[in-house]
Structures are given as C-alpha cells and as structure tokens.
Amino acid sequence: MTSGTARPTAPPAPIRALHTGSGEPLLLLHGFMMSPHCWEQVAQRMAGRCEVFAPAFTGHWGGPELDGWFIDISALADRIEDQLDEMGWRTCHIAGNSLGGWVGFELARRGRARTLTAIAPAGGWQTPSTLQLRVGLKFLSLLPLVKIGKLLPDAITYHGLTRQAVALLLTKNPEAASRAGLEATITSALHCRAMIPMLVSGLRFPALEHLSTLRTPVRLLMCESDRVIPNRLYARRFLEELPDSADRILVHDVGHVPMLEAPDRIATLIAEHVYASRTRLRAV
C-alpha cells in the first residue's frame, strides 16, 4: 500500500544486480531512471523456474559509472553483453520495460535473445521526430523536481504525497504499488547520473531498425493506462512492424511500469512466453 504502514528505518540501498533462482536464463531490464528494484516482486515469482538476472544500467542507481557525457542504446547493450559473457550466458530470455525494452530489441538484433518480452517499450519513434522530442521534454520537465528532491530531508522526499504523485505517473492503481517499491523508484530517480547525458544524447540516438526482420519470438505488452508513452502514439511502430508471429497484448488496468502494481500478471505473461518458446527449437 502507498500509505498506512511504518516508514522503513533507512532509504533503500542500491543494487548492482538482482541474481536469483535456477532454470531457464532470464534477463530483466529496467526503464530510464529506474533500477533493478522495480523487478524485485517479479523476480521472486520467477525464481522457481528461471535463473533471473536483473542488472542496473550504466549511469543508473547501482550501475556502472558513466564514461564521459555521451551514452546511447548501443553502449547500454554493450555493457549488458559483457555481463552476460561473464555469466556464461550466450543467449537468454529477455524481458524489458520502457528503456529496457528498447535495449532488449538491440540485444535481440545481436542474437542474444531466445525470446523477448517488451513491456511498454521505448524507441518506437523515428529520429528526429516530434514524438522523440515530446518524450524528451516530458523527462526534462522532471529535472527541477529531481534537483529539489536531492536537497530535501527524507521525511519529505518519501512523504505519502510524494509517493502518491510517483504512483499516479507510473501506475493505474496507486494503492496496488508497495511502499517499498515506490520509495526505491524515488531513490532511483534521484540517483540517476545518466539523466541529463541520456536526454542530451537522445537527440542523436539512431531509430530502431525496421522490426519486420527480427527473428526472435517477441511478446509485446502494451499498458492500457500508460501516461508516460501512451500506446496511441508510441506503440504504432511496434504494432505495424513486428512480424505476424509476434504476440500483441494489451494489459488492462495498468500503467507504464506494471511490475509495481501487477507483478503476478507480468510474471505470468513473461513465463508463458518463455515456456512456449521451448517447443520452437532454434540454432543459436
């Protein structure tokens, strides 16, 4: 619940990566200004059937430091590939939300994905374009709030009204999001070192290649009440360009980060896609 329980004794701690469970290798990728914390409830539910790895992106809370001021999707994917190599994962199942979905498509292009579950994926715009500019301005408008938030005491930073505002942006049902999940989301945003570099570099990001040639089995999960990148505008390329074999699912009654409010449903939708793929043998 977003209110009514005692406040934790300390703010959440950064996580370099969640790594739990055994079975099919599953990579979980978080969104822009988020962290592996957003996957905690889904990871718990998947750990009985999958070896789950959810790393923090470069420049994000808990992740590797930025090298310079330019960072793009390719650089984020490079670092994830290095981590997969360190773990001995030549390929794995991938689920990514928002920015994580965009990086997931890049990793699929590189042949690293057995399956891809893209949850409200970012990147469904041409470069340059009005859609690209609009989403950039939306995140840029958060910059003053982040700057102020860093100066405030915890009692205000994690106040119920702050959590409610964050929940209203990212979920459809604020009361369904856990207090711990919302506090980790706030902390992730305040400690995202990649915020300005990615917003500036984003003007130069190349657009996603045409998706019709993608060979990886894809499940697209569109969030019905997405207030960050609404389906009406930002899902069009994915709907039109993905192969006919791709699943296209509208997840009802959830916002842009559905793992916060509906972890059971999201875990089930990922698991279905992972296990359906086991009947489709592919050379990798």
Side-chain angles (χ1 to χ4, degrees), residues 44-55:
Q44 291 170 6
R45 289 158 172 79
M46 298 296 295
R49 64 191 84 187
C50 293
E51 181 180 357
V52 180
F53 182 62

Side-chain angles (χ1 to χ4, degrees), residues 162-232:
T162 308
R163 298 195 309 272
Q164 183 79 1
V166 170
L168 285 171
L169 176 64
L170 300 180
T171 71
K172 170 66 184 307
N173 305 288
E175 69 283 356
S178 72
R179 181 171 188 154
L182 292 173
E183 293 193 350
T185 298
I186 293 168
T187 311
S188 301
L190 296 180
H191 293 83
C192 181
R193 305 175 301 283
M195 182 181 185
I196 297 176
M198 286 205 69
L199 290 175
V200 174
S201 304
L203 299 174
R204 298 163 55 190
F205 287 0
L208 275 168
E209 294 182 39
H210 202 281
L211 299 167
S212 61
T213 59
L214 199 64
R215 298 183 61 189
T216 302
V218 175
R219 168 166 279 192
L220 173 67
L221 303 183
M222 299 167 293
C223 300
E224 182 182 35
S225 300
D226 194 327
R227 298 183 179 95
V228 179
I229 48 174
N231 299 313
R232 176 175 59 85

Side-chain angles (χ1 to χ4, degrees), residues 146-153 157:
V146 169
K147 293 292 186 183
I148 294 171
K150 291 179 179 180
L151 303 175
L152 296 175
T157 300

Side-chain angles (χ1 to χ4, degrees), residues 3 53 73 86 98 122 129 163 166 217 229 235 241 255-256 261 281:
S3 61
F53 182 62
I73 300 302
E86 291 167 7
S98 195
S129 69
R163 298 195 309 272
V166 170
I229 48 174
E241 295 181 15
H256 184 64
E261 60 182 321
L281 298 181

